[in-house]
Amino acid sequence: MKAIQLLRTQFDSAHHTMEQTVGEATAKVMNFNKTNKAIPVVAAYAHAVLEEDILLSTMLANKKPIFKNASQVGITKEIPSMEHWDQHEKWYMTVKIDLPKFRSYAKKVYKATDDYLQTLKDEDLDFEMERPVIGKQTTGFLLTNFFLLHIANLAGEVSAAKGFQGLKGYPW
């Protein structure tokens, strides 16, 4: 298997795991934040999809993200930028979601990611770029460590947040 095909398979698996882990959570499950330890399901899910759309589009694909505004994608407020990291915790605890609308957006993000990956050749993964906060990295490093693992880690947050509520987290 070639590297790009492997990445496409891994992203597809990560997206599927995230969607199955969120499942058909109710608003009560999505917004539960009484532990002060785990972020709510809504925040982990929204964070994963929004960052994939916004950052992958602008950092790697050199195009505009699908995201235009919060109401378009079904969330109550926009995620703070990386420059305002100190505002993320408040966002985590207050953002709400229209799950069907946001899921529709997520599907578009996942397709955009796969469309981008299909434009790459294996040798493109060695291209180095300098980015604020993360410094000089290759495209391959960014795709695997900055994006793919981010989705997987946030699926774990979703699973933990559901577990705190006595529910099954991961789908398996």
Side-chain angles (χ1 to χ4, degrees):
M1 179 182 290
K2 301 279 186 181
I4 299 303
Q5 184 56 44
L6 177 61
L7 279 171
R8 289 182 66 207
T9 301
Q10 290 174 320
F11 270 93
D12 184 57
S13 178
H15 293 148
H16 179 76
T17 298
M18 176 63 85
E19 292 300 323
Q20 293 299 305
T21 303
V22 170
E24 296 304 320
T26 64
K28 181 179 178 182
V29 169
M30 294 289 286
N31 298 307
F32 178 84
N33 66 359
K34 305 240 184 309
T35 67
N36 291 323
K37 301 218 183 284
I39 64 175
V41 170
V42 64
Y45 180 44
H47 179 98
V49 175
L50 288 163
E51 295 296 340
E52 180 176 345
D53 177 26
I54 295 166
L55 294 179
L56 195 139
S57 295
T58 58
M59 288 175 73
L60 298 178
N62 295 313
K63 65 178 190 169
K64 292 186 180 199
I66 297 165
F67 178 87
K68 303 287 184 262
N69 61 61
S71 64
Q72 168 225 4
V73 301
I75 57 174
T76 54
K77 55 180 79 168
E78 294 185 19
I79 191 168
S81 67
M82 290 179 76
E83 292 82 28
H84 296 101
W85 191 253
D86 61 321
Q87 297 173 16
H88 276 246
E89 187 172 344
K90 181 178 179 185
W91 181 83
Y92 288 151
M93 297 305 172
T94 58
V95 68
K96 304 291 184 244
I97 194 172
D98 173 333
L99 186 57
K101 191 172 189 178
F102 193 82
R103 253 207 179 121
S104 175
Y105 163 66
K107 286 179 186 176
K108 292 174 188 170
V109 171
Y110 303 158
K111 181 178 182 330
T113 296
D114 191 59
D115 289 348
Y116 164 70
L117 292 172
Q118 288 183 67
T119 69
L120 298 177
K121 297 178 185 81
D122 286 353
E123 55 269 18
D124 294 331
L125 299 176
D126 295 325
F127 178 77
E128 289 185 330
M129 63 193 84
E130 184 81 30
R131 295 291 185 220
V133 181
I134 56 174
K136 189 174 187 178
Q137 300 294 344
T138 64
T139 300
F141 176 89
L142 292 171
L143 285 169
T144 57
N145 293 290
F146 196 74
F147 290 104
L148 188 59
L149 291 177
H150 191 239
I151 298 164
N153 291 338
L154 286 165
E157 292 275 354
V158 169
S159 184
K162 288 177 75 177
F164 279 126
Q165 297 174 73
L167 301 170
K168 181 178 180 181
Y170 286 119
W172 49 82

